[in-house]
């Protein structure tokens, strides 16, 4: 297997691919910066006419020793055509230059044998005479079958030679890229054929493109669709238009993780580049901070559909949830849902908090108190999301500076302002007269009834006594999350590592505090 460094733009490897209900077959993956190419083996006419034909007609003569010089496996009892599993060196089949391991025998002297059992094909070949005309087609998806050892249920007949000379395990499909036509300078031991009888025709077994998966806004999945069941050392890649790679099976866990990280890194780089281009069209207070795929847990799951793909985007003051990535400006107005970032609570779930077998998960409590659960494929994606959410919340708090909520205290209509500079300010809704104010540092505790009421415990700066203030809100969870967001932003301002990493962003995206709108109070 050929691997290039993960620091380079390309990466290749040979894997098994499970595609629908068919048997697994060998494919080659080629990972470039912006596309994943999946290739399968095929036999192609590289010179002469026709340039490419899915079927070939080959005429060979029986030799006194060695017969036709080929072995076969398969048949209708195995639910596949009879396939050439071995070609002997210097025998007629090899010397024709037109037969390859993996060729399905479709016709023998004009007799259609596609649905014949193994023994029936053997009899037709034995009775074919001294010369036989075969119509064959390279059967690309039988490597697993060809590699099976010989047994009673999977016989391999070396045509023209007694059965006791045909024991042993058949050869697998030849490796990719080998020149399969004999040449005096070609000493590769895996060469399967020599010069064709007609010098005008040259056939080669090559890797050809089976599927192209653009990586921009594509998504990875290690899980069985809609479930929390993780495949063992396997994954699939789904393009933004729904084209799926099929299930790619890796030899081991380390190799699988290596490919997941490599593909994920390329997807992330493409997304960042795309975000930069999109942000040119948005004002500074509407910049995109994050975009990416998640799987949302369905609280009311139907049958076995527990998870559904969702595309999340943090832009300006909002978290958007889409069923597909937004491409046009109009798409942003058609989000399934949107939330104000400082009025929702995000939590990365630890092992003890996980709701099922999905390993990298986060919870989101909305401003209405509803809990949403999302999962991502890789731990690094979880860290990127967490940092992006913190950054989006911080930037929005810095931008708005204050947020006011209507409330009731002692049967009177009030307003509570959470002010980034001043702390908590409660005022009469009608007169705007301030009833009390406390700094963030004076809040020593709080409790709520889960419905509408919050009891704040503030410490009086002069007397050091605890003063309780109970307020009633119509949007309890939005208020609680907003308070948390303002506290988190205050703490972030004191963290030199956080402020240092955000300086360049805030300089371009956040207006100065002097220009932020604030409510005016009368004392």
């Amino acid at each position: 297997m050929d691997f290039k460094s993960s620091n380079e733009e390309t990466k290749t490897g040979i894997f098994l691919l499970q595609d629908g209900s068919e048997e697994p077959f060998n494919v080659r993956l080629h990972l470039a910066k912006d596309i994943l190419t999946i290739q399968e083996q095929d036999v192609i006419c590289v010179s002469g006419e026709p340039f490419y034909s899915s079927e070939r007609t080959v005429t060979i003569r029986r030799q006194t020793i060695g017969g036709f010089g080929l072995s076969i496996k398969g048949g209708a009892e195995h639910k596949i055509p009879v396939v050439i599993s071995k070609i002997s060196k210097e025998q007629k089949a090899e010397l024709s230059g037109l037969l390859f391991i993996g060729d399905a025998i479709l016709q023998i002297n004009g007799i259609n044998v596609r649905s014949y059992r193994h023994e029936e094909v053997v009899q037709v070949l034995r009775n074919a005479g001294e010369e036989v005309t075969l119509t064959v087609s390279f059967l690309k998806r039988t490597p697993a079958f060809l590699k099976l050892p010989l047994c009673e249920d999977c016989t391999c007949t070396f045509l023209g030679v007694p059965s006791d000379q045909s024991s042993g395990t058949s050869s697998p499909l030849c490796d990719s890229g080998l020149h399969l036509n004999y040449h005096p300078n070609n000493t590769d031991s895996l060469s399967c054929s020599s010069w064709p009888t007609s010098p005008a025709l040259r056939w080669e077994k090559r890797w050809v493109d089976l599927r192209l998966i653009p990586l921009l806004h594509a998504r990875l999945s290690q899980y069985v669709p809609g479930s929390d069941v993780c495949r063992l050392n396997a994954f699939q890649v789904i393009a933004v238009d729904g084209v799926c790679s099929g299930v790619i099976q890796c030899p081991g866990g380390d190799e699988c993780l290596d490919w997941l990280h490599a593909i994920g890194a390329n997807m992330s780089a493409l997304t960042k580049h795309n975000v930069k281009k999109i942000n040119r069209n948005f004002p500074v207070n509407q910049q995109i901070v994050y975009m990416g795929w998640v799987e949302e847990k369905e609280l009311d799951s139907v049958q076995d559909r527990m998870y559904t793909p969702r595309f999340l985007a943090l832009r300006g003051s909002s978290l958007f949830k889409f069923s597909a990535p937004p491409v046009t400006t109009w798409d942003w107005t058609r989000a399934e849902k949107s939330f104000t970032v400082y009025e929702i609570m995000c939590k990365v779930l630890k092992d003890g908090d996980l709701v099922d077998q999905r390993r990298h998960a986060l919870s989101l409590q909305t401003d209405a108190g509803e809990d949403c659960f999302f999962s991502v494929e890789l731990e690094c994606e979880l860290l990127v999301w967490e940092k992006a959410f913190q950054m989006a919340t911080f930037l929005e708090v810095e931008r708005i500076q204050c947020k006011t909520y209507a409330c009731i205290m002692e049967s009177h209509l009030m307003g509570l302002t959470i002010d980034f500079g001043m702390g908590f300010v409660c005022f009469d809704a009608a007169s705007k007269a301030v009833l009390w104010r406390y700094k963030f540092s004076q809040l020593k505790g709080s409790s709520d009834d889960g419905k509408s009421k919050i009891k704040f415990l503030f410490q009086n700066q002069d007397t050091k006594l605890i003063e309780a203030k109970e307020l009633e809100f119509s949007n309890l969870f939005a208020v609680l999350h907003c308070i948390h967001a303002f506290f988190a932003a205050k703490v972030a301002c004191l963290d030199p590592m956080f402020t240092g990493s955000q300086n360049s962003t805030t300089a371009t995206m956040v207006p100065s505090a002097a220009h932020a709108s604030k409510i005016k109070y009368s004392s």
Side-chain angles (χ1 to χ4, degrees):
M1 205 171 290
D2 174 28
F3 289 114
K4 294 190 177 183
S5 169
S6 59
N7 294 326
E8 297 182 22
E9 290 188 353
T10 61
K11 182 181 180 72
T12 59
I14 310 291
F15 301 96
L16 276 179
L17 179 68
Q18 178 70 56
D19 199 8
S21 59
E22 300 177 4
E23 290 294 320
F25 58 99
N26 280 333
V27 294
R28 181 168 72 171
L29 300 189
H30 180 82
L31 176 63
K33 182 172 61 175
D34 58 350
I35 198 165
L36 176 67
T37 303
I38 302 173
Q39 298 178 317
E40 62 180 352
Q41 278 190 320
D42 203 351
V43 171
I44 296 176
C45 182
V46 294
S47 68
E49 292 292 339
F51 178 76
Y52 177 81
S53 174
S54 60
E55 295 183 4
R56 283 163 280 127
T57 300
V58 187
T59 299
I60 55 176
R61 292 187 62 82
R62 191 190 303 271
Q63 296 182 159
T64 304
I65 299 175
F68 295 122
L70 56 84
S71 302
I72 61 173
K73 275 187 176 183
E77 66 269 37
H78 301 291
K79 299 181 180 180
I80 66 168
V82 166
V83 181
I84 296 175
S85 59
K86 187 175 182 179
I87 295 177
S88 296
K89 294 289 184 181
E90 303 301 325
Q91 299 294 316
K92 290 294 185 179
E94 184 196 31
L95 294 174
S96 73
L98 301 176
L99 294 175
F100 300 87
I101 292 174
D103 277 342
I105 300 176
L106 308 178
Q107 294 182 30
I108 302 173
N109 290 341
I111 301 173
N112 190 332
V113 296
R114 297 169 193 255
S115 59
Y116 278 32
R117 295 171 60 85
H118 180 272
E119 287 302 324
E120 293 173 327
V121 175
V122 171
Q123 289 302 319
V124 172
L125 283 168
R126 282 175 177 166
N127 299 328
E130 294 303 309
E131 189 173 85
V132 64
T133 299
L134 305 177
T135 300
V136 298
S137 179
F138 184 64
L139 198 59
K140 294 162 282 197
R141 305 188 176 187
T142 58
F145 184 83
L146 289 174
K147 291 179 183 179
L148 289 174
L150 300 181
C151 61
E152 292 182 0
D153 295 330
C154 182
T155 56
C156 178
T157 305
F158 186 65
L159 299 174
V161 176
S163 59
D164 60 354
Q165 296 183 33
S166 62
S167 60
T169 304
S170 64
S171 301
L173 290 174
C174 294
D175 290 341
S176 63
L178 295 179
H179 191 285
L180 301 180
N181 298 100
Y182 175 77
H183 189 276
N185 296 327
N186 183 4
T187 58
D188 197 313
S189 61
L190 290 176
S191 178
C192 294
S193 63
S194 52
W195 282 109
T197 54
S198 171
L201 287 175
R202 288 184 59 248
W203 297 79
E204 290 183 3
K205 191 181 291 185
R206 288 184 176 180
W207 290 104
V208 296
D209 292 348
L210 172 66
R211 215 161 287 154
L212 303 177
I213 311 292
L215 296 181
L216 177 61
H217 294 327
R219 58 188 177 90
L220 282 170
S221 178
Q222 302 174 76
Y223 293 89
V224 175
S227 76
D228 64 338
V229 179
C230 186
R231 295 185 176 95
L232 181 62
N233 305 331
F235 64 91
Q236 58 183 349
V237 185
I238 303 96
V240 68
D241 61 359
V243 175
C244 180
S245 66
V247 179
I248 299 165
Q249 184 68 53
C250 300
D254 291 342
E255 191 171 351
C256 182
L257 191 61
D258 183 40
W259 271 85
L260 286 170
H261 279 292
I263 296 172
N266 285 17
M267 290 178 175
S268 177
L270 288 169
T271 299
K272 289 179 181 177
H273 181 70
N274 191 48
V275 165
K276 286 183 180 179
K277 292 196 298 183
I278 297 173
N279 277 341
R280 295 170 188 167
N281 301 318
F282 292 137
V284 291
N285 63 336
Q286 290 293 314
Q287 297 283 287
I288 300 170
V289 176
Y290 171 90
M291 296 175 77
W293 283 102
V294 297
E295 294 268 344
E296 181 178 18
K297 185 173 179 62
E298 299 290 346
L299 300 181
D300 299 321
S301 59
V302 178
Q303 295 179 351
D304 60 346
R305 191 73 188 182
M306 297 170 56
Y307 281 87
T308 303
R310 293 286 184 264
F311 193 84
L312 298 185
L314 289 165
R315 176 188 158 207
S317 63
S318 300
L319 167 65
F320 295 91
K321 184 173 74 172
F322 300 92
S323 58
V327 177
T328 67
T329 304
W330 174 247
D331 289 340
W332 290 91
T333 66
R334 297 187 291 176
E336 287 187 359
K337 285 188 178 180
S338 63
F339 309 94
T340 304
V341 290
Y342 54 80
E343 291 185 339
I344 57 178
M345 181 80 74
C346 177
K347 177 184 178 184
V348 172
L349 301 182
K350 305 300 182 183
D351 289 344
D353 301 323
L354 297 174
V355 294
D356 51 35
Q357 297 182 65
R358 293 260 179 168
R359 291 167 295 177
H360 309 304
L362 58 99
S363 67
L364 197 71
Q365 189 175 61
T366 69
D367 52 357
E370 299 174 349
D371 289 318
C372 304
F373 295 93
F374 302 96
S375 80
V376 294
E377 293 298 318
L378 301 170
E379 185 177 9
C380 58
E381 293 180 80
L382 204 59
L383 297 175
V384 169
W385 159 259
E386 186 177 27
K387 290 181 179 179
F389 185 81
Q390 292 172 351
M391 176 174 150
T393 304
F394 175 82
L395 293 176
E396 189 58 20
V397 169
E398 279 279 276
R399 187 185 71 82
I400 64 173
Q401 289 292 302
C402 64
K403 178 65 179 178
T404 299
Y405 294 96
C407 59
I408 294 175
M409 186 177 71
E410 298 175 354
S411 301
H412 294 288
L413 183 61
M414 302 289 178
L416 176 69
T417 296
I418 307 164
D419 190 290
F420 194 66
M422 295 164 42
F424 297 91
V425 180
C426 185
F427 60 93
D428 183 88
S431 65
K432 298 296 187 294
V434 174
L435 302 180
W436 46 263
R437 72 175 78 217
Y438 296 95
K439 297 179 180 179
F440 287 110
S441 60
Q442 290 179 266
L443 180 64
K444 300 304 178 182
S446 66
S447 61
D448 63 87
D449 62 358
K451 297 178 181 178
S452 61
K453 295 180 180 179
I454 305 177
K455 179 180 286 187
F456 296 97
L457 300 177
F458 296 106
Q459 186 178 48
N460 188 296
Q461 276 189 319
D462 298 326
T463 65
K464 305 302 181 184
L465 298 177
I466 300 298
E467 300 173 350
K469 306 292 182 180
E470 186 174 87
L471 304 176
E472 186 173 355
F473 299 88
S474 61
N475 49 352
L476 173 71
F477 291 98
V479 176
L480 290 173
H481 298 157
C482 182
I483 293 172
H484 179 272
F486 272 70
F487 265 98
K490 273 290 185 184
V491 172
C493 284
L494 302 176
D495 184 352
M497 292 184 64
F498 180 85
T499 53
S501 65
Q502 305 305 323
N503 277 342
S504 59
T505 306
T506 55
T508 58
M509 295 175 61
V510 183
S512 65
H515 294 92
S517 59
K518 290 188 178 183
I519 191 168
K520 295 183 178 180
Y521 312 105
S522 58
S523 55

